[in-house]
Amino acid sequence: MTPADLSRSVVRAVRCAVEDGELPAGVVVPERVVVERTRPGGVGDYASPVAFGVGKGAGVAPRGVAEVLAPRLAALPGIERVEVTGAGFLNFVLAGSSVGEVVRDVRARGRRYGFAPDGEPRERVVRDAVQRIEWCQAAQSQAARSQGRTAGGGPVAVAPVAKRDGDVLGRYGADAAAWAMLCVPAHETPVFPAWLLVQDESSEFFRVRYAHGRARALTRNAGQLGVCAEPGEVEEGSADVLLGALVDYPLVLEAAAHHRAPERLVRHLVVLADALLEFQYCVLPKGDEKPSAAHRARLALAEAAGTVLAGGLALLGIDAPDHL
């Protein structure tokens, strides 16, 4: 079970509890439930404050709501344990996602990994953000500016680029400029530091695209060695950070769409890229080492990470070159 699946499972649990009479009929079933990584000192892998919102609307103590939902959720496949803490926080311990399971999911979905289950992609919100940023750079009429119109027709509050930055698209290129504009919340004024144009690992923008390029290079190099990617398990501890970033990716997309905050996706791509760049050194055989099932599984994991990086960059409107 992915974190995004968990969020939807909690919504279903609330709905079923109301239908079965375990929660009052006046309870309003939320459209979306916040599920976050457990904070330091917390219990389990993920936590949700859903009981507080549900309880407040129905005049029920949050802990009572949580105690109704906990056994329902604990019975679901992929959830190992559910604990209620404090005044009504739900804490989840998920059954461990195997590397092969996650990799097969990414391979099956490709760049659509993490999209909504109904098939409607999440990129609409992210693309709207890009369009709003492009709009605020264009020579639109003062009337349109004062009304705050966007391509989506809704009001926004996007901080403009400072005049001193001049033609940022011409100076930095469309991809680097888009990265700078999207890596901060919409209400903050973007800055265009010198590292945007630096082609080394001191630049987050470079690292994300470079990590994608490294994934593609690993595939090319593996072909020369006769190694084919095959989803499977990877040695414990060697890929924990990378696997965690892949598992969390659908939840990040959901949160970015819900909060209209593409900067969340930007931050997560940096985490994923850094994990892949660290992992790359153990993917292929070294020296006289013979190719093994372990190498094929590591290669499949690296390729999956590259696919997700390409998909994330595409949502931001940024190119993911194979060579960098």
Side-chain angles (χ1 to χ4, degrees):
M1 176 175 289
T2 69
D5 293 332
L6 179 58
S7 175
R8 291 185 282 270
S9 296
V10 175
V11 172
R12 286 195 296 271
V14 175
R15 181 181 300 110
C16 291
V18 173
E19 293 173 351
D20 293 345
E22 294 183 19
L23 290 176
V27 166
V28 177
V29 179
E31 293 184 3
R32 178 182 179 274
V33 167
V34 174
V35 174
E36 299 177 322
R37 278 284 186 183
T38 303
R39 295 176 184 178
V43 177
D45 303 309
Y46 296 91
S48 175
V50 61
F52 292 87
V54 170
K56 182 178 180 181
V60 181
R63 189 170 182 92
V65 174
E67 288 174 347
V68 167
L69 298 177
R72 286 180 171 272
L73 292 163
L76 296 177
I79 297 180
E80 187 175 301
R81 190 172 75 255
V82 181
E83 293 187 23
V84 179
T85 59
F89 289 95
L90 284 168
N91 298 268
F92 305 93
V93 177
L94 301 187
S97 297
S98 72
V99 175
E101 187 180 344
V102 174
V103 170
R104 279 188 284 272
D105 193 14
V106 175
R107 285 162 70 100
R109 298 171 183 245
R111 293 192 182 190
R112 296 182 65 83
Y113 173 68
F115 282 17
D118 60 5
E120 181 178 345
R122 305 279 183 182
E123 73 261 38
R124 182 177 64 252
V125 171
V126 180
R127 283 179 176 171
D128 284 349
V130 175
Q131 289 172 347
R132 291 196 302 272
I133 292 168
E134 291 177 342
W135 167 81
C136 76
Q137 297 301 304
Q140 300 289 348
S141 68
Q142 185 60 39
R145 290 181 183 275
S146 63
Q147 293 173 15
R149 292 202 300 267
T150 70
V156 294
V158 180
V161 175
K163 290 182 179 179
R164 61 181 173 78
D165 290 310
D167 180 13
V168 295
L169 293 179
R171 183 183 304 177
Y172 296 96
D175 287 337
W179 178 273
M181 293 174 186
L182 290 171
C183 72
V184 297
H187 64 272
E188 294 184 11
T189 300
V191 294
F192 299 88
W195 57 253
L196 275 175
L197 299 179
V198 173
Q199 296 290 296
D200 65 37
E201 294 186 24
S202 66
S203 164
E204 291 182 343
F205 171 61
F206 173 81
R207 289 206 306 275
V208 171
R209 299 209 304 165
Y210 177 61
H212 170 263
R214 287 301 305 147
R216 301 297 299 148
L218 287 170
T219 299
R220 293 192 298 271
N221 294 340
Q224 295 173 356
L225 296 174
V227 179
C228 297
E230 184 177 322
E233 297 314 302
V234 175
E235 304 83 36
E236 185 176 352
S238 65
D240 289 353
V241 177
L242 182 57
L243 179 62
L246 288 175
V247 170
D248 283 350
Y249 180 76
L251 188 62
V252 170
L253 284 188
E254 184 173 304
H258 179 74
H259 295 286
R260 302 179 66 82
E263 69 274 8
R264 294 185 179 217
L265 174 56
V266 171
R267 290 196 299 266
H268 194 73
L269 291 182
V270 174
V271 172
L272 178 59
D274 287 345
L276 176 56
L277 291 174
E278 180 70 23
F279 179 71
Q280 65 173 321
Y281 301 107
C282 69
V283 172
L284 298 180
K286 298 177 182 177
D288 296 332
E289 190 178 9
K290 293 187 180 299
S292 66
H295 293 113
R296 293 192 289 274
R298 294 177 203 144
L299 177 62
L301 177 58
E303 287 182 346
T307 297
V308 173
L309 285 171
L313 286 169
L315 294 179
L316 298 173
I318 295 174
D319 184 40
D322 288 351
H323 300 271
L324 196 62

